Amino acid sequence: MSSEYLVSAKQRMLDQHLRARGITDERVLAAMQHVPREEFVSEALRPHAYDDRALPVELGQTISQPYTVAFMAQASQLHGHERVLEIGTGTGYGAAVLACMAAEVFTVERWPELCDTATQRLERLGFRNVVTKLGDGSQGWPERSPFDAIVVTAAAERLPTAFFDQLAEGGRIIIPIGGPGGGQTMFRFTRQNGELLEESLGMFSFVPLVCDS
Ligand code: SAH
């Protein structure tokens, strides 16, 4: 597999899988162009790094499909000055994309092995504005709050209350809600005058958010 192959696969991803399907935010497209997705998957899966599908990673988890990562990043409405909380670091790919679009990204992963690997990878690739933490992300990260956006990359059965408490006024929570299997509905909750405005954004499929409590 040559680097030219990856360059053209990435261009195909941008044109056919993202722009053609409604990803119009140029900041999202620039971030997806910038982050080398091949660095976030195993050697064997590198030729498929820019396929528009989720790929398996360690411990039965997945790296989300490029369209899903872009969709959530676009729904977060980032302009560059924001503090973002991501739940479910996984490989660190989503955090890297968000890091290109916001001031700081705080990301929480419950599996030590994934958290360590992602932390090292993000450091090696030079993403200096990402801070990782091992723990149950359904509790958010109170010490680092408030956040302008909270992006949850695993399926929750309901909206964890901690997220509302840690959201800045005007902030957005992007979260897939629904039971495992059969897909979940992606919601955007926007905090306005201390209340949450709810929008349903379509069906997606995620691994479950596993809560310790
Ligand atoms: N954003 C990731 C994809 C994440 S898949 C990427 O770009 O690669 C969902 C991740 O959420 C998995 O790594 C899973 O271990 C993690 N997860 C599940 N429940 C969690 C919880 N309660 N707290 C933190 N992480 C959790």
Side-chain angles (χ1 to χ4, degrees), residues 72 75 173-178 184-189 198-202:
M72 294 183 94
I173 303 170
I174 313 300
I175 181 170
I177 296 186
Q184 301 90 27
T185 305
M186 185 82 76
F187 285 94
R188 173 168 55 204
F189 294 97
E198 173 185 316
E199 294 164 272
S200 149
L201 306 178

Side-chain angles (χ1 to χ4, degrees), residues 110-208:
R110 69 184 291 270
W111 288 108
E113 187 182 330
L114 291 177
C115 188
D116 287 352
T117 308
T119 305
Q120 286 166 24
R121 176 184 282 136
L122 289 164
E123 200 176 308
R124 174 170 57 81
L125 295 174
F127 291 95
R128 307 252 175 268
N129 58 339
V130 183
V131 188
T132 57
K133 176 177 132 161
L134 180 66
D136 177 6
S138 65
Q139 308 298 317
W141 193 337
E143 300 80 10
R144 300 295 195 142
S145 68
F147 302 104
D148 303 295
I150 299 178
V151 179
V152 185
T153 70
E157 304 231 339
R158 65 192 72 82
L159 179 68
T161 50
F163 295 170
F164 176 74
D165 300 338
Q166 296 172 30
L167 192 64
E169 177 61 23
R172 286 80 57 200
I173 303 170
I174 313 300
I175 181 170
I177 296 186
Q184 301 90 27
T185 305
M186 185 82 76
F187 285 94
R188 173 168 55 204
F189 294 97
T190 305
R191 185 168 178 151
Q192 274 179 3
N193 305 318
E195 295 193 359
L196 281 184
L197 172 81
E198 173 185 316
E199 294 164 272
S200 149
L201 306 178
M203 293 299 287
F204 287 83
S205 181
F206 283 84
V207 297

Side-chain angles (χ1 to χ4, degrees), residues 37 40 57-59 61-64 69 86-95 107-111 114 133 135-139 153-155 206-212:
R37 190 169 156 94
F40 293 78
V57 300
E58 296 88 345
L59 306 176
Q61 302 301 320
T62 55
I63 177 171
S64 305
V69 175
E86 183 198 41
I87 307 301
T89 314
T91 63
Y93 178 71
T107 179
V108 186
E109 169 59 50
R110 69 184 291 270
W111 288 108
L114 291 177
K133 176 177 132 161
D136 177 6
S138 65
Q139 308 298 317
T153 70
F206 283 84
V207 297
L209 183 73
V210 180
C211 304
D212 298 329

